Amino acid sequence: MILSVIVPAFNEVSTIATVLQRVDEVDLDMEIIVVDDGSTDGTLEQVKAAGVKNVRVFRHDVNRGKGAAVRTGLAQATGNVVVIQDGDMEYDPQDFIRLYEPIASGETRVVYGFRDFSSQTLLLRVGNRFVTLLTNILYGVAIRDMETCYKMWRREVLDRTNLTANGFDIEVELTAAFVAAGENIVQVPISYEARQAKKLRWWVDGPEAILRLIQYRFFR
């Protein structure tokens, strides 16, 4: 099986090259799809400077949001399995192997990597836990980390799903789609080190996540 690694990146000039090199070190058959989401800081040049051969690059002329970048990447993916990799260094790509195993063995088609939130600020930690709790109540599941970037799934799971999210609400939409499809979401622990400079705006993205959880559950 081929793993399609989708890397949405917006103004990640200081980290994107290292992230791509770390992804390339993972011992799996992969294609890497970078979607430069309208960066203005030289991110695209650093993608090229990384020296990673199996990278395909697509670019949005303007910043459209993480969800839009993920959707662009999905439209270009050719692998059997898909995973999302942020362009910063909060996550360790070596965890792909741990996520991949339950899919390769046939145990499941969807795997979430759940984080230890201890490196996050108190506000973000509380917000993440609340949104995850609300997900579990609304959707009748037992997810430990709904907002995790490390969601891995067999590509055919979403082949007939029309994703529309443009922003960070892509995490909500993916989760709603997996639950609606009746997928068994296997969860494994992953490494995580929160960075202090976050693009997430809790006062905007938090309420939007709650709104989307309700929307996808009752009105879609």
Side-chain angles (χ1 to χ4, degrees):
M1 291 192 297
I2 303 296
L3 176 64
S4 295
V5 183
I6 298 174
V7 187
F10 174 61
N11 287 350
E12 300 288 4
V13 67
S14 63
T15 57
I16 190 66
T18 302
V19 166
L20 294 177
Q21 290 162 357
R22 290 183 178 180
V23 169
D24 193 47
E25 291 170 356
V26 178
D27 189 19
L28 291 171
D29 292 330
M30 293 182 297
E31 64 171 0
I32 304 172
I33 301 169
V34 175
V35 181
D36 179 11
D37 189 30
S39 296
T40 58
D41 66 344
T43 292
L44 188 59
E45 288 73 17
Q46 285 302 306
V47 170
K48 297 174 181 177
V52 177
K53 294 181 179 179
N54 59 333
V55 174
R56 291 192 289 143
V57 183
F58 301 89
R59 190 172 193 277
H60 293 166
D61 291 336
V62 297
N63 179 241
R64 293 166 50 191
K66 180 177 179 178
V70 168
R71 291 190 291 110
T72 294
L74 282 172
Q76 301 297 331
T78 63
N80 314 90
V81 180
V82 176
V83 70
I84 301 168
Q85 167 69 53
D86 281 348
D88 55 30
M89 292 194 290
E90 290 188 326
Y91 295 82
D92 182 358
Q94 289 298 329
D95 283 326
F96 289 170
I97 295 173
R98 184 180 297 176
L99 295 165
Y100 187 78
E101 287 173 353
I103 294 176
S105 69
E107 177 185 353
T108 188
R109 298 199 298 174
V110 181
V111 180
Y112 278 26
F114 64 87
R115 299 167 288 175
D116 176 351
F117 294 118
S118 60
S119 63
Q120 286 189 333
T121 63
L122 177 61
L123 190 61
L124 282 176
R125 195 182 317 149
V126 170
N128 271 312
R129 293 195 183 283
F130 176 76
V131 171
T132 294
L133 174 63
L134 185 59
T135 301
N136 292 336
I137 293 171
L138 289 175
Y139 291 83
V141 291
I143 292 172
R144 299 183 61 162
D145 183 8
M146 191 280 290
E147 293 278 11
T148 179
C149 169
Y150 273 7
K151 296 174 171 71
M152 185 180 289
W153 67 94
R154 289 195 63 100
R155 190 159 59 94
E156 69 265 20
V157 172
L158 298 182
D159 270 354
R160 298 184 180 182
T161 301
N162 180 32
L163 298 175
T164 61
N166 285 321
F168 289 104
D169 53 326
I170 188 65
E171 310 297 356
V172 178
E173 188 171 30
L174 287 172
T175 299
F178 295 143
V179 174
E183 296 296 330
N184 170 41
I185 301 175
V186 169
Q187 302 173 77
V188 299
I190 57 173
S191 303
Y192 175 74
E193 186 62 39
R195 67 174 180 178
Q196 298 308 307
K198 301 286 288 184
K199 294 187 177 72
L200 186 76
R201 302 164 299 168
W202 62 265
W203 62 94
V204 174
D205 297 308
E208 183 174 26
I210 294 170
L211 177 64
R212 297 302 183 199
L213 281 170
I214 296 169
Q215 176 187 348
Y216 294 141
R217 175 63 180 85
F218 297 110
F219 302 104
R220 184 168 180 172

